[in-house]
Amino acid sequence: MTKLKLASIEDENPVKLTVTLSAALHRNLVAYAEILAKETGKPVEANKLIAPMLEKFIASDRGFAKARNVAKMSNAPTLSKPSITFSSPSSMKS
């Protein structure tokens, strides 16, 4: 049995995008869908693979995760440190 990175396709509220794919990429998506359908026993449309594949790619990209964490940290509000002033005994005159 083939070990595919995608196990199932989640059904969520989609955002519609229009993309242009090369013919070779489309053929690969169709082939992937056919293999996935055989493994799961459920029909799979090739166009339904794009979003989960992108999600898997982004989730596995360590460079992206690191850069995203750095961006979050730089946008996080910083706590201001209280300012403390000290007076020297010679400056304290009564």
Side-chain angles (χ1 to χ4, degrees), residues 2-14:
T2 306
K3 175 76 171 140
L4 299 176
K5 289 193 177 204
L6 294 181
S8 66
I9 308 297
E10 299 294 324
D11 191 17
E12 295 184 0
N13 294 332

Side-chain angles (χ1 to χ4, degrees), residues 59-93:
S60 67
D61 189 326
R62 291 183 182 176
F64 171 72
K66 184 177 179 180
R68 189 170 189 192
N69 287 337
V70 168
K72 282 183 182 179
M73 295 294 273
S74 65
N75 291 334
T78 57
L79 298 175
S80 60
K81 295 180 182 177
S83 62
I84 301 173
T85 56
F86 294 97
S87 300
S88 66
S90 60
S91 64
M92 296 178 67
K93 296 181 181 177

Side-chain angles (χ1 to χ4, degrees), residues 6 9 26 29-34 36-37 42-53:
L6 294 181
I9 308 297
H26 184 259
L29 280 172
V30 170
Y32 198 104
E34 290 169 356
L36 186 59
K42 299 176 190 175
V44 178
E45 295 177 41
N47 63 329
K48 299 279 186 176
L49 295 174
I50 297 169
M53 285 179 163

Side-chain angles (χ1 to χ4, degrees), residues 10-37:
E10 299 294 324
D11 191 17
E12 295 184 0
N13 294 332
V15 174
K16 189 170 185 148
L17 298 175
T18 301
V19 297
T20 302
L21 306 176
S22 68
L25 179 55
H26 184 259
R27 284 191 299 272
N28 284 334
L29 280 172
V30 170
Y32 198 104
E34 290 169 356
I35 295 167
L36 186 59

